[in-house]
Amino acid sequence: MIRLKINFITILSFVLMFLLSGCVTQSEMEYLQKDDRTPKSFKEADVTEYKLRADDELYIQVTSLDEAADNILQTSGNQLLINSGSIQPYGVSLVSYTVNKKGFLSLPIIGVIYVKDRTLPEVREIIIDSLANILNQPSVTIKLVNRYISVLGEVRNPGHFPYAQDKLTIFNAIGAAGDMTKFANRKEVLLTRNENGANLLITVDLTNPDVLESSYYYLRPNDVIYVKPLKKRVWGTSEFPFSLILSTLTFTLLFYSVVN
């Protein structure tokens, strides 16, 4: 009888330890952890200007004081119409200009210009200089159309997300994906990025406040975020068969009481 009691206690202890090992602690679910509550300032994270690459899509808007340039700059087909007020999309859809595989951008009137590895302000100045002898005080606005990031892994709504703002933080991206699940590994978030023709794989610790100053705090177009799962995910509380464990414990207690 003593031996049976010892075995029962051993089994019960093992089951409880196994259940507790599958629980996610509060520290594993917190972002930006620090030891005290005193305010701490962080310097602005560096944001490098995005350099254009092949297949990038640009929306270009031109305004001018010269009304006589209307007939000269009007184009047809799927090109944008340039008039004294603005560049208007052909039809109802937004038409963008695409950087070809060799890094060139073909524009009406201006012709072909090389834009690969150049920033948007640099391309804007090139277009303004090209229009200086055609339009009176030309003004050019350029927007990168293909601003997308992907968020995969242990988030509630993984997917491919467009964004319009010039600055997008890694927390903004995770928020767009519905935040991380409770089984997400916030200490080992993987960021893939193409930089100078090389694909980089960076590990970001979102529990460390120093990420606010990191060069990876602000995302770039076409960045991919992968949120790794915790190792305990395979037996996590949301998937663990509690009903089976409970019925087993109930049967064991009943059996033990009958034997006693």
Side-chain angles (χ1 to χ4, degrees):
M1 190 65 64
I2 296 177
R3 182 178 180 181
L4 179 61
K5 183 176 181 180
I6 294 175
N7 288 338
F8 172 73
I9 295 174
T10 302
I11 294 173
L12 183 61
S13 301
F14 173 77
V15 171
L16 290 175
M17 289 176 62
F18 188 68
L19 287 174
L20 290 174
S21 67
C23 296
V24 179
T25 63
Q26 181 177 345
S27 63
E28 291 175 310
M29 298 181 63
E30 292 181 351
Y31 300 105
L32 306 176
Q33 300 176 22
K34 63 189 188 76
D35 297 331
D36 55 74
R37 295 186 178 183
T38 57
K40 182 179 180 181
S41 62
F42 296 86
K43 68 177 183 180
E44 177 74 7
D46 293 333
V47 183
T48 57
E49 286 278 0
Y50 179 76
K51 295 184 178 181
L52 294 175
R53 298 180 292 182
D55 297 324
D56 276 344
E57 298 177 356
L58 302 176
Y59 172 66
I60 304 175
Q61 183 181 41
V62 175
T63 58
S64 172
L65 299 177
D66 191 357
E67 297 181 1
D70 290 356
N71 296 330
I72 299 176
L73 295 180
Q74 268 193 352
T75 60
S76 60
N78 63 351
Q79 300 290 338
L80 297 180
L81 302 181
I82 307 178
N83 60 27
S84 58
S86 63
I87 297 182
Q88 298 175 345
Y90 177 75
V92 295
S93 62
L94 174 65
V95 179
S96 60
Y97 293 97
T98 303
V99 181
N100 66 22
K101 299 296 183 182
K102 295 183 179 179
F104 289 93
L105 189 67
S106 180
L107 300 174
I109 305 302
I110 296 174
V112 177
I113 59 176
Y114 187 76
V115 298
K116 185 179 179 181
D117 294 329
R118 287 176 173 166
T119 65
L120 293 181
E122 290 173 345
V123 176
R124 175 178 173 273
E125 291 303 319
I126 293 174
I127 295 176
I128 290 177
D129 291 342
S130 300
L131 294 172
N133 297 326
I134 302 174
L135 296 177
N136 181 17
Q137 298 183 21
S139 176
V140 177
T141 300
I142 301 180
K143 296 290 184 180
L144 184 65
V145 176
N146 57 312
R147 290 181 184 269
Y148 296 97
I149 51 93
S150 297
V151 186
L152 308 172
E154 284 294 327
V155 291
R156 290 187 173 88
N157 300 302
H160 192 58
F161 304 96
Y163 67 98
Q165 59 267 43
D166 292 332
K167 292 182 179 181
L168 183 78
T169 72
I170 191 169
F171 290 108
N172 292 147
I174 292 171
D179 200 4
M180 295 183 184
T181 68
K182 59 186 175 183
F183 295 108
N185 189 342
R186 289 160 173 79
K187 292 186 177 182
E188 295 184 15
V189 177
L190 299 182
L191 171 66
T192 63
R193 170 178 295 175
N194 185 282
E195 194 169 86
N196 299 323
N199 290 319
L200 304 181
L201 182 62
I202 305 109
T203 301
V204 182
D205 182 0
L206 295 184
T207 67
N208 189 343
D210 291 338
V211 71
L212 298 175
E213 298 180 344
S214 168
S215 57
Y216 308 115
Y217 179 61
Y218 288 109
L219 300 181
R220 299 180 188 174
N222 303 314
D223 278 356
V224 177
I225 298 171
Y226 173 64
V227 181
K228 297 174 62 176
L230 293 167
K231 292 182 179 180
K232 60 188 67 177
R233 177 70 173 90
V234 293
W235 60 76
T237 55
S238 65
E239 296 180 346
F240 197 82
F242 281 106
S243 59
L244 177 62
I245 296 298
L246 184 60
S247 61
T248 302
L249 288 176
T250 303
F251 174 78
T252 304
L253 287 172
L254 180 60
F255 178 76
Y256 176 73
S257 61
V258 170
V259 172
N260 273 344

